[in-house]
Structure formats: structure tokens, C-alpha cells
Amino acid sequence: MTVDESTDYPEHPREKHRGPVVLRRDSRHEDSTTDQRLLDARGPSDWVHTDPWRVLRIQAEFVEGFGALAEVPRAVTVFGSARTPRDHPEYELGRKIGAALAHAGFAAITGGGPGSMEAVNRGASEAGGLSIGLGIELPFEQGLNPWVDLGVNFRYFFTRKTMFIKYAQAFICLPGGFGTLDELFEALTLVQTKKVTKFPVVLFGRSYWGGLYDWVKSTVYGEGKIGEKDLALLHVTDDIDDAVRVVLESYKAWEDTH
């Protein structure tokens, strides 16, 4: 499969999100994000008095997310860089992974953005699977990519991260930056502490992830900071069939216990 750059590509204008609100083209909006305004302690003292009301917005965001995703079938969350160009081999890889998950009967969940996330959504949608995007309010990225079939936009990272975990049976991490690393280690922590069970984490791309895995094995495990079972939570591969096999085996083991 090759990347299709034909003129019928479903582009959309640059847009910004304020939770469920979409701002496109020249719509005026604030430069800061909701997360930034929540976490930044600086500013007028009357900001403190708005915090109780923020709780209602946070509650509403959880309700919206749970409501939108409650009927989602088994799914896999795939992370990867928003900076991956469409003509990059990793974009094509993302499309193939999205398609493979669809053929295996899994919905594909991504952050809904461009780059590798778009590629996975595109592959899943083109293969007839369910393509899900969980977007986030950011000052420098456009909204949900046009290959998302079911999309939810979030103001708060912690709400969105809950949805990534709650509605997925596995994580696949394509090469990515800080956001991908954040989700990777949060997932590992939740599995290690048994907050979630039977949740494999696949690192796709030995050349990219190999150095990190070697460091975890030689230093973190080598110095006794994690156990042998913790190290086994990570699976590094370059093979799509192998990645899907890990997901399927873990899902079957989970089914056998429920």
C-alpha cells in the first residue's frame, strides 16, 4: 500500500478546539489552553474562586467521554508522533497497523491529531474498522484529523488519558516524542501497580525504541528498580503480525478471566 496524495484527500481548514467548541480560520480565541489556566498558579487572586466551578467542567468532560465511548468494542490505543510527514515510511507503517487492527476486530484509538495518529486512523477507516480520535486542546496543533470516525475533544490531559486506558485492551507505541513517552510510562505504571490488568505495551520499531529498552533492562532492571515481570510488560518488535499476535493473546487471556 502506498500513500495516496490525490486531490480527493479530505482536508479541512486549520482549527482550534475549546472542549466541544471548534474555532476555524480567523475566529478569535485566547492564546492559553484550559489545562494551562488550571495548572498555572499565577494570575489575579479571583482566579482561585473559580476552581469549584472548574470541577463541574471536569465532571462534564468525563461524562461526555464515557457517554461517547461506552459502546466501543474491543480496541487498541496507538500512539505516535504528530510530526510524521505523509511521505515518511512511518506514516505508511501507521496505515498498515491501523488496517491490521481493523482486520483483527479491534477499533483503533489515537490522539486524533496529524502525523502517525492520522495514519493509524486512516488505515483503520480504509479497512472498514472503527477509527477513534481523542483530541486535546493545544496551542500549536489543528483539530481531529479527517480520518476519525468517532471523535471526542478534551480540555484536560488527565481526562483524555483516562479514556485512552479505560477503553483499550493494549497500547502500541510508534516512534514519538514526549507525549508518547508520557503515555508509555503511565501505562506501564498502571499495569505494574495492577490498576489495569492484562494490558500489553508494544514498542514498534527496534531502531527507535531499542536504546530505551536496553537502558531499562541494563540500568533500571539491572539495578533492581523494577522486577523481571515488570520488564516483561514491554514487547519490542518490527513486525505487524507479531504486534497483533501479542494483542490477541493478551485479549484472550483477559477474556478467560472474565
Side-chain angles (χ1 to χ4, degrees):
M1 183 186 296
T2 59
V3 177
D4 179 12
E5 297 295 349
S6 61
T7 56
D8 62 348
Y9 188 85
E11 296 286 3
H12 57 70
R14 187 169 181 80
E15 61 187 34
K16 190 173 184 65
H17 290 263
R18 286 283 183 256
V21 178
V22 178
L23 302 171
R24 286 182 170 171
R25 300 180 181 89
D26 295 327
S27 297
R28 295 189 178 187
H29 52 267
E30 298 174 353
D31 292 332
S32 62
T33 66
T34 307
D35 258 335
Q36 181 181 346
R37 294 190 296 276
L38 171 67
L39 299 174
D40 193 345
R42 296 169 296 176
S45 60
D46 62 353
W47 185 89
V48 176
H49 302 297
T50 67
D51 281 1
W53 294 102
R54 292 178 190 272
V55 174
L56 296 179
R57 173 178 281 181
I58 293 168
Q59 180 183 19
E61 193 155 281
F62 275 110
V63 171
E64 289 170 358
F66 292 153
L69 302 173
E71 303 299 325
V72 168
R74 61 184 189 174
V76 174
T77 294
V78 185
F79 291 103
S81 176
R83 304 184 183 190
T84 304
R86 290 177 187 155
D87 59 355
H88 195 283
E90 287 174 9
Y91 188 96
E92 182 64 19
L93 176 63
R95 286 178 68 176
K96 291 180 178 179
I97 289 175
L101 291 173
H103 291 149
F106 289 91
I109 302 174
T110 78
S116 293
M117 293 176 283
E118 176 187 283
V120 172
N121 286 134
R122 183 175 183 177
S125 183
E126 288 175 332
L130 179 58
S131 170
I132 300 171
L134 306 183
I136 185 68
E137 176 187 317
L138 291 174
F140 50 81
E141 286 183 14
Q142 61 182 2
L144 296 175
N145 69 69
W147 295 98
V148 170
D149 300 323
L150 171 61
V152 184
N153 285 302
F154 295 92
R155 294 182 175 93
Y156 301 103
F157 268 108
F158 53 83
T159 312
R160 179 186 186 228
K161 289 163 79 172
T162 299
M163 305 302 159
F164 280 137
I165 294 284
K166 179 173 175 58
Y167 294 101
Q169 277 72 50
F171 268 1
I172 296 178
C173 294
L174 295 172
F178 286 156
T180 301
L181 291 170
D182 174 50
E183 298 293 354
L184 164 63
F185 284 106
E186 177 151 344
L188 290 172
T189 302
L190 290 171
V191 178
Q192 180 194 46
T193 56
K194 301 189 184 302
K195 299 296 185 182
V196 295
T197 57
K198 303 296 182 183
F199 199 103
V201 179
V202 178
L203 302 180
F204 204 99
R206 291 183 183 277
S207 63
Y208 190 87
W209 296 110
L212 175 65
Y213 181 83
D214 290 343
W215 174 77
V216 170
K217 183 176 182 180
S218 64
T219 303
V220 184
Y221 172 69
E223 295 187 8
K225 302 299 189 292
I226 61 173
E228 186 174 354
K229 290 183 179 179
D230 301 326
L231 183 64
L233 297 175
L234 286 169
H235 184 83
V236 187
T237 187
D238 286 317
D239 185 79
I240 294 175
D241 290 338
D242 182 46
V244 174
R245 176 191 61 79
V246 171
V247 172
L248 285 169
E249 288 180 356
S250 177
Y251 182 75
K252 185 179 185 303
W254 177 84
E255 275 192 318
D256 292 342
T257 62
H258 288 74

